[in-house]
């Protein structure tokens, strides 16, 4: 490893920061399956993953044999202006034009970092999900108001910056054939995020990052996320940018040995594709010779570059990633041979500037893959989560979830399981809160926040037991709503009225109280040297995601079946 000071590298790019402008950044758009800058040149993602790990790291790189383990906290890499200023000379030395950030906190100030990167000609790919409760649970996937609100609030905050290339609606949600039904919720997220982005006239692309896997389910996954279920050649539900986390090239391999297969798989793909992660560590040292192949004329007809993993140290089940280390006080960057080797490889590539934008062709969206033993996703997507309908329902529920602890994310799943078990024993149903990506059936309340789902089933049980106050307690976590309907018929009528608008698709809107894109702004300098300000513990109610036990909620069928 070799130590470097920011000063020496920074001299080469000092002029970039002194100008205070962002003339280096052009809008990037997709034409057919390729990306182009505003001046008509082909755009390739020459990127690096830029995300420090949070605490309680158990695994980073998921695989078919690795459980879905994530950190309990995360560090927002775009909220520390001092750190971004420290790192940008090294990112430019690497020759990157794009960084990928895996977790950001929309309540923090990102002005300094985003301006610094824009001035340096660096785009960002931003994952909208958060670790744990802020992402889709692949074992019991849902698409709910809390997740949609989290996504569009993040988009809203970042919409004022001109260097957001894409937003990822998910990362490795589907990892094997028996979990492919989760793709219906990923596609629904892409549909609603795209509708919101179009409504605010943003040029950002909608993407997804997939784990590499067996072609029997990876091929239909890629095709499904870029298809049109309506058969009308519409891109309303399709991705713009498909990412593949590919680690096949290890050591000094060859195109034929490592990439020929995946090149053939995606040869006829209809939207832009790139390697959202690459950089195998199982045959050290990392020579990064795959860069020459990825940006060659052999692969450029299919791929638009890639993102090397990872700038910061990252511990995984496979070993240690990382190109630099940061001193304990955050002031000094020490680069490794990983850094030097990638710098050399990135500097050597000159990918073809073809096809021209006029020859790229118009976008086409084929029909969706049919279900089979290795592809379970329905072509019927869940509706757009409707915050107003869910809020209306919550206000009319007779037994409301009022947790006795501030850390209620840990008990929602248990209480849902318990309440639905009681209802099932009485011959009732919890299907109104269940979602099934294989059958394409989604309960009327399945798009609501899990806390509202819990209030719903608690109210069901409460009314079924003659509105006995004791049956609303649930260990001190429930409170009777004196203003709510007390009879089953009145409760049904109120619920039906609220949920009448909850079906179908619509353009999402910001939650009440959120600033519109044109007026959004951040406070504070965002340039503090401490990382603590950007380290977030996942206790925010809006990131509460459907718990694994929701899979057990579909006991029978029906809407509100109160005895």
């Amino acid at each position: 490893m070799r130590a470097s000071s920011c000063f020496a590298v920074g001299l080469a790019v000092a002029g970039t920061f002194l100008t205070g402008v962002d003339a280096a950044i052009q809008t990037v758009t997709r034409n057919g399956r390729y990306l182009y800058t505003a001046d008509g040149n082909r755009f390739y993602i020459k990127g690096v993953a830029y995300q420090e790990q949070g605490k309680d790291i158990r695994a980073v790189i998921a695989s078919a044999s690795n459980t879905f383990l994530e950190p309990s906290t995360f560090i927002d890499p775009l909220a520390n202006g001092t750190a971004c200023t420290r790192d940008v000379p090294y990112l430019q030395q690497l020759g990157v034009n794009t960084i990928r950030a895996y977790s950001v906190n929309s309540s923090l100030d990102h002005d300094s970092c985003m301006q610094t990167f824009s001035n340096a000609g660096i785009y960002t790919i931003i994952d909208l999900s958060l670790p744990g409760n802020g992402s889709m649970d692949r074992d019991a996937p849902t698409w709910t108001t809390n997740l949609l609100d989290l996504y569009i609030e993040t988009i809203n905050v970042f919409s004022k910056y001109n260097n957001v290339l894409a937003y990822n609606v998910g990362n490795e949600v589907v990892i094997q054939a028996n979990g492919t039904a989760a793709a219906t919720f990923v596609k629904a997220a892409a549909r609603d995020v795209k509708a919101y982005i179009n409504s605010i006239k943003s040029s950002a692309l909608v993407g997804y990052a997939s784990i590499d896997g067996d072609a029997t389910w990876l091929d239909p996954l890629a095709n499904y996320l870029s298809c049109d279920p309506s058969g009308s050649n519409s891109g309303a539900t399709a991705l713009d940018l498909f990412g593949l986390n590919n680690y096949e090239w290890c050591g000094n391999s060859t195109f034929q040995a490592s990439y020929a297969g995946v090149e053939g798989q995606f040869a006829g793909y209809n939207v832009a594709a790139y390697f959202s992660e690459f950089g195998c560590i199982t045959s050290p040292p990392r020579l990064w010779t795959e860069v020459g192949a990825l940006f060659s004329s052999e692969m450029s007809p299919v791929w638009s570059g890639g993102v090397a993993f990872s700038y910061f140290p990252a511990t995984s089940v496979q070993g240690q990633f990382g190109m630099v280390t940061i001193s304990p006080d955050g002031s000094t960057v020490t680069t490794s041979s990983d850094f030097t080797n990638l710098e050399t490889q990135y500097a050597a590539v000159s990918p073809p500037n073809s096809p021209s934008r006029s020859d790229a062709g118009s976008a086409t969206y084929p029909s969706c893959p049919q279900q089979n033993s290795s592809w379970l996703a329905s072509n019927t997507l869940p509706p757009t989560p409707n915050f107003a309908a869910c809020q209306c329902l919550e206000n009319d529920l007779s037994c409301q979830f009022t947790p006795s602890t501030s850390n209620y994310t840990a008990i929602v799943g248990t209480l849902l399981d318990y309440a639905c078990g009681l209802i099932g024993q009485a011959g009732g149903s919890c299907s109104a809160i269940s979602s099934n990506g294989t059958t394409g059936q989604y309960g009327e309340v399945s798009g609501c926040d899990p806390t509202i789902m819990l209030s719903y089933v608690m109210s069901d049980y409460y009314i079924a037991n003659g509105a006995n106050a004791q049956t609303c307690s649930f260990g001190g976590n429930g409170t009777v709503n004196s203003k709510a309907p007390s009879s089953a018929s009145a409760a049904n009528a109120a619920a039906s009225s609220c949920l009448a608008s909850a079906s179908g698709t619509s353009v999402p809107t910001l939650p009440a109280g959120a600033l519109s894109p044109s007026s959004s702004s951040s406070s504070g300098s965002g340039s503090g040297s401490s990382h603590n300000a950007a380290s977030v513990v996942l206790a925010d109610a809006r990131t509460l995601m459907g718990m694994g036990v929701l899979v057990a909620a579909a006991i029978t069928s029906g809407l509100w079946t109160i005895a």
Side-chain angles (χ1 to χ4, degrees):
M1 302 178 76
R2 58 185 175 88
S4 305
S5 70
C6 290
F7 177 74
V9 181
L11 285 176
V13 293
T16 302
F17 306 112
L18 291 175
T19 62
V21 299
D22 44 28
I25 286 289
Q26 297 186 56
T27 299
V28 175
T29 56
R30 178 176 66 86
N31 285 65
R33 62 184 300 181
Y34 303 110
L35 304 178
Y36 295 90
T37 52
D39 60 7
N41 287 309
R42 177 94 184 265
F43 180 80
Y44 293 85
I45 297 168
K46 192 188 288 187
V48 68
Y50 187 76
Q51 182 86 39
E52 286 191 80
Q53 285 190 326
K55 299 176 182 178
D56 189 24
I57 299 297
R58 291 157 287 177
V60 176
I61 306 302
S63 68
S65 60
N66 181 40
T67 54
F68 190 35
L69 301 175
E70 291 193 357
S72 59
T73 65
F74 68 92
I75 298 170
D76 186 333
L78 304 179
N80 186 335
T82 298
C84 293
T85 301
R86 175 200 67 205
D87 292 333
V88 75
Y90 295 94
L91 296 172
Q92 289 196 306
Q93 185 179 342
L94 273 177
V96 304
N97 62 15
T98 307
I99 57 175
R100 179 182 172 192
Y102 291 73
S103 303
V104 296
N105 179 0
S106 62
S107 69
L108 299 180
D109 177 14
H110 303 92
D111 287 354
S112 178
C113 283
M114 293 299 287
Q115 186 66 52
T116 295
F117 291 136
S118 179
N119 288 350
I122 296 174
Y123 297 86
T124 54
I125 296 174
I126 298 172
D127 286 31
L128 296 173
S129 58
L130 297 178
N133 292 333
S135 57
M136 290 186 186
D137 180 346
R138 65 165 63 97
D139 294 324
T142 56
W143 178 230
T144 52
T145 54
N146 51 296
L147 240 152
L148 174 59
D149 289 350
L150 172 69
Y151 282 19
I152 65 174
E153 284 181 23
T154 300
I155 295 169
N156 175 49
V157 165
F158 282 88
S159 64
K160 62 180 176 177
Y161 305 121
N162 67 351
N163 55 334
V164 177
L165 175 64
Y167 297 105
N168 283 336
V169 297
N171 178 66
E172 299 187 346
V173 178
V174 177
I175 62 169
Q176 51 195 7
N178 64 6
T180 52
T184 57
F185 303 94
V186 176
K187 191 168 180 67
R191 173 200 65 203
D192 294 337
V193 165
K194 178 176 275 193
Y196 181 72
I197 285 175
N198 289 339
S199 74
I200 61 173
K201 296 179 171 55
S202 169
S203 63
L205 306 173
V206 177
Y208 172 78
S210 172
I211 194 172
D212 199 2
D214 189 273
T216 58
W217 63 262
L218 179 60
D219 287 2
L221 172 65
N223 292 329
Y224 181 80
L225 293 179
S226 65
C227 73
D228 175 22
S230 72
S232 59
N233 197 31
S234 167
T237 68
L239 296 178
D240 298 304
L241 187 62
F242 183 87
L244 182 65
N245 297 340
N246 183 291
Y247 291 87
E248 292 300 314
W249 187 298
C250 297
N252 195 18
S253 187
T254 65
F255 166 81
Q256 197 61 40
S258 298
Y259 286 165
V262 74
E263 178 81 356
Q265 284 178 248
F266 284 81
Y269 201 48
N270 61 310
V271 301
Y274 74 115
F275 282 8
S276 39
E277 290 175 7
F278 68 90
C280 171
I281 60 171
T282 60
S283 300
R286 291 205 286 182
L287 302 175
W288 299 105
T289 49
E290 65 264 49
V291 169
L294 183 57
F295 290 86
S296 69
S297 58
E298 195 165 23
M299 295 187 72
S300 62
V302 176
W303 304 98
S304 293
V307 174
F309 192 89
S310 155
Y311 179 79
F312 293 109
T315 302
S316 80
V317 293
Q318 294 179 327
Q320 186 70 27
F321 289 83
M323 304 172 201
V324 305
T325 55
I326 309 299
S327 62
D329 65 0
S331 64
T332 304
V333 176
T334 302
T335 60
S336 69
S337 59
D338 268 10
F339 181 99
T340 306
N341 292 340
L342 181 62
E343 175 189 356
T344 299
Q345 293 295 330
Y346 267 162
V349 297
S350 180
N353 190 22
S354 61
S356 66
R357 183 160 56 184
S358 59
D359 291 335
S362 57
T364 59
Y365 304 96
S367 58
C368 297
Q370 297 301 306
Q371 291 176 312
N372 56 44
S373 60
S374 58
W375 182 250
L376 307 177
S378 169
N379 290 336
T380 301
L381 306 183
T384 303
N386 189 310
F387 180 82
C390 293
Q391 192 65 54
C392 171
L393 176 66
E394 182 180 34
N395 292 337
D396 285 341
L397 292 174
S398 53
C399 178
Q400 296 182 333
F401 175 53
T402 53
S404 56
T405 174
S406 59
N407 186 25
Y408 61 84
T409 60
I411 64 172
V412 171
T414 301
L415 287 174
L416 270 170
D417 195 25
Y418 175 68
C420 284
L422 293 175
I423 293 171
Q425 291 172 15
S429 167
C430 272
S431 63
I433 68 169
S434 69
S435 296
N436 191 317
T438 298
T439 64
Q441 296 178 328
Y442 311 99
E444 291 83 349
V445 191
S446 65
C448 294
D449 185 295
T451 60
I452 297 178
M453 295 186 202
L454 179 54
S455 293
Y456 183 92
V457 296
M458 287 167 61
S459 297
D460 192 345
Y461 183 71
Y462 167 73
I463 294 178
N465 283 275
N468 183 332
Q470 287 296 109
T471 61
C472 179
S473 174
F474 288 89
N477 292 294
T479 300
V480 174
N481 178 10
S482 60
K483 298 180 180 179
S486 57
S487 68
S489 59
N492 269 318
S496 297
S497 176
C498 288
L499 298 173
S501 61
S503 61
T505 60
S506 59
V507 177
T509 56
L510 284 168
L515 293 175
S516 66
S518 60
S519 61
S520 64
S521 62
S522 302
S523 60
S525 65
S527 58
S529 60
S530 170
H531 290 185
N532 292 335
S535 181
V536 181
V537 179
L538 303 180
D540 191 333
R542 68 197 172 99
T543 67
L544 179 66
M545 191 47 203
M547 309 299 171
V549 294
L550 286 181
V551 114
I555 298 170
T556 55
S557 60
L559 170 57
W560 187 295
T561 54
I562 299 173

